[in-house]
Amino acid sequence: MTDMPDTTFTSDPSHHQDTQETDDAAGYYTPGDPIAETKAPGGPIEERWGTRQFEARIANPANRRRLSVIVVGTGLAGASAAATLGEAGYVVKSFCYQDSPRRAHSIAAQGGINAAKNYKGDGDSVYRLFYDTIKGGDYRSRESNVYRLAEVSVNIIDQCVAQGVPFAREYGGLLDNRSFGGVQVSRTFYARGQTGQQLLIGAYQALERQVAAGTVRTYTRHEMLELIVVDGRARGIIVRDLVTGEIETYFADVVVLASGGYGNVFFLSTNAMGSNVTATWRAHRKGAFMANPCYTQIHPTCIPVSGAHQSKLTLMSESLRNDGRIWVPKDAKDADKDPRDIPEEDRDYYLERIYPSFGNLVPRDIASRQAKNMCDEGRGVGPEVDGVRRGVYLDFAEAMERLGRKAIEDKYGNLFDMYAQITGEDPYEVPMRIYPAVHYVMGGLWVDYDLQGSIPGLFVTGEANFSDHGANRLGASALMQGLADGYFVLPNTIRDYLAEGPFDKVPEDHPAVVEAQQSVRDRIDRFMNTKGTRSVDSYHRELGNIMWEYCGMERSEDGLKKAIDLIRGLRDDFWRNVKVLGTSESLNQSLERAGRVADFFELGELMCIDALNRRESCGGHFRAESQTEDGEALRHDDQYAYVAAWEWAGEPGSQEMGKPILHKEQLTYEFVEMKQRSYK
């Protein structure tokens, strides 16, 4: 079949923007046509997902055996999708760059997973989870997508319990819950401090069951380097065997990207060192829109930077904020004292003071900014790094007095052990020191209600898409979205597209395939032949410093413009002076990193342009020029209540070409009133 499917977005002339823009981002991008999400049905919001499932066409069982799916990534979103699609009868190829699907970064999200079960009887409901997520995301997400996420959350827990995930239980045997930031109910299911790991084991078991059944074939140590687009459809990928260096081509009827987020553009982040943007960025360069790239989540509960020697940061689960109290000295002169010697009356429990309704469980963006404010006032604690103390205390003394040390060990034991191993301090005796760090990204490839990108046949799940969290993700919602997309959403929407198949087989010598293969080889040859003097990591670290300084916790017009200039200059130097060791015909981690950092340069520039264009503060995006009198984020709904969907327009940085094209998807709210967030 060669007929193009219905487009997943439409232009609306009533929303056309004035091309004579005079804002501070003018000159950095080109205004494009508006777009709209068209797949979500109308009507009552609680009926939309059921309606869409019924309306979606079905591929019959005989045809499924002739339909193939490529899934890139084996985290919760990728493993659950591959397992479910395999069980449905499709032919699935699963790719990951790790040596095992179990090494996907989903294991690092240890605190818990949200579900609107209301097991505590404290007023929770699907609608309340929907509302909390919309509000927590600062009213920058789609209502239909978020309600569906809340609706299917209740099924995830049943699925995982059936798989044997060892969720924590109360004395009577019922599943236990705890709270996370941005909510006033207990809806977070957890497995001690190992939730992500245990959930990934469950998804991995489901995946391996299908591998044994012959419906799924896994390709470990393979990295996607290019997307194959034939006649406007995504039809395959080019990968590099990371062990042998061989460039390989794989075809399918549809491609699913579940490759995670891009927080490592900042170099120092809580992400695994291998986490990267390459899979989604290669798709972006082929026409997939990148949505809201500037929305970065800074997690407030991380081990502080200890010096320039570090290559990553460590996340201490947000679940610790359930029982730990966050404070700094009231007087900066006490910052270097042993915290046990600072009396209660000289401590400032600043989150409890500023936000009495939510206290230490305010959303992540708010907790992070306030920690920065305390340290900027000179009241930070811990050793000085570059002349500044960047840390606040997370104190469990009161919790241990109230609950007993044994209860704290049962809840958080492995997290406390990890902290002690990294810092050399005993958190049972001395308060933990924490500070914000880059963690999750809310931006990602643009998708419609079916999770299909702007390229037909390209579907994107989990953190790799932008769809559910708005400008700030609530804690314990990453695991929820990954499993919701993989187990329940994608299998019900991808069948509508695959019902058009089986598609014509793509010949190996098709011009689009040859071009994709050659572009990969040319890029690798360019890396190997540059013969410069600087290491890849030195460029990555310098890029990360630029991003953190000017596009991190606080952004400004002058800072973002400076960052764009610095990134462009550094990228030009990278291509002239990078040194990649080894050869391309074998295991070569220097070459792997070079490709990923090259993509980070282009992404970093787009992030800064997106942040420059969005002259408001919302969620994790804080513009210094847009804040309330008391320093809270100030939105401008009349101007920026839209999804910023960016289209690739050629190599960036050129005055003649390469300005990204901005398409706006207007956000409308029918069921939630848009208003200024307050957690006080």
Side-chain angles (χ1 to χ4, degrees):
M1 296 179 62
T2 58
D3 292 340
M4 288 291 291
D6 292 338
T7 182
T8 58
F9 54 91
T10 61
S11 293
D12 182 351
S14 67
H15 286 154
H16 268 281
Q17 52 195 308
D18 183 4
T19 57
Q20 304 298 316
E21 300 205 21
T22 59
D23 60 50
D24 52 24
Y28 289 94
Y29 72 91
T30 302
D33 290 333
I35 60 175
E37 199 295 301
T38 60
K39 295 287 183 64
I45 196 165
E46 64 272 10
E47 296 178 6
R48 291 181 178 180
W49 177 228
T51 299
R52 180 58 189 147
Q53 290 180 83
F54 177 74
E55 291 178 347
R57 293 167 295 177
I58 295 175
N60 73 63
N63 280 345
R64 288 178 217 159
R65 294 192 291 271
R66 297 185 290 156
L67 292 166
S68 57
V69 181
I70 284 174
V71 180
V72 180
T74 58
L76 287 183
S80 59
T84 308
L85 293 171
E87 190 161 8
Y90 299 103
V91 178
V92 181
K93 304 182 186 77
S94 169
F95 293 83
C96 68
Y97 64 76
Q98 298 93 342
D99 59 1
S100 167
R102 281 187 58 181
R103 291 188 180 272
H105 189 57
S106 296
I107 65 167
Q110 303 287 44
I113 177 171
N114 288 330
K117 288 284 199 181
N118 195 30
Y119 280 177
K120 292 288 187 180
D122 54 2
D124 200 12
S125 64
V126 168
Y127 192 90
R128 188 176 295 279
L129 175 53
F130 157 68
Y131 177 81
D132 287 345
T133 304
I134 291 284
K135 177 183 176 182
D138 220 350
Y139 304 92
R140 289 296 178 262
S141 53
R142 294 185 189 136
E143 283 187 322
S144 294
N145 288 66
V146 175
Y147 192 90
R148 176 177 64 188
L149 177 65
E151 184 180 351
V152 303
S153 72
V154 298
N155 300 326
I156 296 171
I157 304 305
D158 298 337
Q159 171 92 1
C160 294
V161 169
Q163 290 175 338
V165 173
F167 286 121
R169 295 179 180 269
E170 296 176 332
Y171 179 77
L174 300 177
L175 297 182
D176 197 12
N177 294 124
R178 55 192 181 197
S179 293
F180 262 60
V183 305
Q184 292 178 304
V185 297
S186 294
R187 65 163 65 102
T188 303
F189 295 78
Y190 64 99
R192 208 177 182 203
Q194 306 171 11
T195 314
Q197 180 176 347
Q198 296 300 332
L199 290 173
L200 185 61
I201 290 172
Y204 172 73
Q205 288 173 327
L207 177 65
E208 288 301 306
R209 179 171 176 266
Q210 295 308 311
V211 171
T215 64
V216 178
R217 181 173 179 181
T218 55
Y219 298 82
T220 60
R221 303 295 284 139
H222 283 69
E223 181 169 28
M224 173 182 161
L225 297 181
E226 190 58 278
L227 178 71
I228 297 172
V229 179
V230 177
D231 298 330
R233 297 176 185 262
R235 291 302 307 272
I237 60 175
I238 310 292
V239 301
R240 181 173 182 268
D241 185 320
L242 298 182
V243 177
T244 67
E246 185 177 355
I247 304 301
E248 302 171 358
T249 304
Y250 294 91
F251 299 104
D253 295 302
V254 69
V255 175
V256 178
L257 299 185
S259 50
Y262 49 80
N264 273 355
V265 68
F266 291 88
F267 187 73
L268 285 179
S269 81
T270 66
N271 288 265
M273 290 298 292
S275 298
N276 63 84
V277 75
T278 291
T280 52
W281 195 255
R282 295 290 102 191
H284 174 59
R285 289 175 62 108
K286 282 295 181 74
F289 294 171
M290 178 66 77
N292 299 336
C294 78
Y295 286 166
T296 308
Q297 179 153 93
I298 312 296
H299 198 296
T301 318
C302 305
I303 297 178
V305 174
S306 59
H309 62 280
Q310 284 183 264
S311 57
K312 80 174 301 293
L313 297 174
T314 303
L315 170 69
M316 300 306 296
S317 170
E318 183 177 326
S319 63
L320 295 169
R321 291 200 276 151
N322 270 275
D323 292 303
R325 301 181 71 193
I326 296 171
W327 63 276
V328 292
K330 291 181 178 179
D331 191 333
K333 295 178 182 178
D334 291 338
D336 59 351
K337 285 186 177 180
D338 186 316
R340 294 168 293 186
D341 294 335
I342 301 175
E344 192 73 14
E345 61 269 19
D346 292 336
R347 301 179 178 187
D348 181 8
Y349 296 92
Y350 57 89
L351 291 179
E352 299 173 29
R353 170 174 57 83
I354 302 172
Y355 308 101
S357 292
F358 284 75
N360 296 300
L361 287 174
V362 292
R364 292 173 175 179
D365 58 317
I366 293 175
S368 295
R369 279 199 299 277
Q370 290 298 348
K372 179 180 184 294
N373 291 341
M374 296 303 114
C375 295
D376 288 347
E377 292 176 9
R379 294 194 284 150
V381 299
E384 292 186 357
V385 177
D386 297 328
V388 182
R389 301 181 194 274
R390 295 289 182 191
V392 300
Y393 288 126
L394 180 61
D395 196 334
F396 286 84
E398 188 272 339
M400 283 190 285
E401 182 177 339
R402 173 170 48 89
L403 301 172
R405 172 166 171 160
K406 178 65 166 56
I408 299 301
E409 289 177 346
D410 289 343
K411 281 186 175 182
Y412 312 113
N414 65 309
L415 298 171
F416 276 48
D417 293 343
M418 181 170 64
Y419 180 89
Q421 291 172 6
I422 292 173
T423 65
E425 300 173 3
D426 183 354
Y428 293 105
E429 300 296 332
V430 182
M432 288 183 179
R433 288 178 293 105
I434 58 170
Y435 192 71
V438 172
H439 178 51
Y440 188 94
V441 292
M442 286 71 67
L445 291 184
W446 184 91
V447 293
D448 62 16
Y449 190 66
D450 283 359
L451 303 183
Q452 185 171 207
S454 50
I455 299 175
L458 177 70
F459 290 76
V460 191
T461 63
E463 192 179 358
N465 75 34
F466 88 100
S467 65
D468 291 354
H469 305 297
N472 175 64
R473 178 176 67 77
L474 292 181
S477 288
L479 302 181
M480 176 176 64
Q481 186 208 352
L483 291 181
D485 284 357
Y487 281 136
F488 300 107
V489 179
L490 181 73
N492 282 294
T493 59
I494 200 172
R495 59 182 171 85
D496 182 72
Y497 179 85
L498 288 173
E500 301 177 23
F503 299 96
D504 293 338
K505 185 177 180 181
V506 178
E508 288 267 4
D509 59 353
H510 191 286
V513 178
V514 174
E515 184 276 330
Q517 293 169 335
Q518 191 59 46
S519 69
V520 169
R521 294 191 177 94
D522 289 347
R523 194 163 188 256
I524 290 174
D525 289 343
R526 186 178 180 186
F527 285 131
M528 301 309 304
N529 295 329
T530 299
K531 308 298 183 186
T533 60
R534 281 190 63 177
S535 70
V536 175
D537 283 354
S538 71
Y539 283 106
H540 192 183
R541 186 182 293 274
E542 187 171 345
L543 171 64
N545 288 337
I546 295 169
M547 294 298 297
W548 177 252
E549 184 67 26
Y550 302 110
C551 197
M553 293 180 68
E554 183 174 305
R555 296 100 183 252
S556 68
E557 177 182 346
D558 291 342
L560 289 165
K561 288 181 176 179
K562 181 177 181 179
I564 292 169
D565 290 340
L566 290 172
I567 291 169
R568 289 175 176 176
L570 187 62
R571 182 179 62 243
D572 290 343
D573 186 74
F574 171 85
W575 284 111
R576 290 194 306 267
N577 202 31
V578 71
K579 184 178 183 64
V580 177
L581 303 174
T583 70
S584 60
E585 289 82 28
S586 64
L587 175 67
N588 188 340
Q589 292 183 315
S590 178
L591 176 59
E592 294 171 33
R593 289 195 293 269
R596 296 166 186 170
V597 173
D599 291 332
F600 279 143
F601 275 120
E602 295 175 1
L603 166 69
E605 179 175 331
L606 183 61
M607 290 172 67
C608 293
I609 292 173
D610 187 37
L612 184 62
N613 171 69
R614 190 170 286 276
R615 292 173 296 157
E616 67 166 352
S617 294
C618 56
H621 167 66
F622 191 82
R623 282 287 294 265
E625 303 92 340
S626 184
Q627 54 185 303
T628 63
E629 290 183 1
D630 53 355
E632 301 291 350
L634 179 62
R635 299 193 322 268
H636 299 293
D637 296 335
D638 57 331
Q639 302 176 62
Y640 297 104
Y642 63 76
V643 176
W646 296 91
E647 181 182 358
W648 174 258
E651 295 295 332
S654 167
Q655 296 302 312
E656 302 299 325
M657 61 175 290
K659 294 180 183 178
I661 301 168
L662 173 60
H663 302 275
K664 298 179 180 179
E665 177 200 331
Q666 296 296 323
L667 293 169
T668 58
Y669 286 86
E670 302 175 64
F671 304 95
V672 174
E673 179 187 357
M674 297 178 72
K675 54 188 177 183
Q676 188 68 27
R677 283 193 310 172
S678 175
Y679 292 92
K680 295 185 176 182

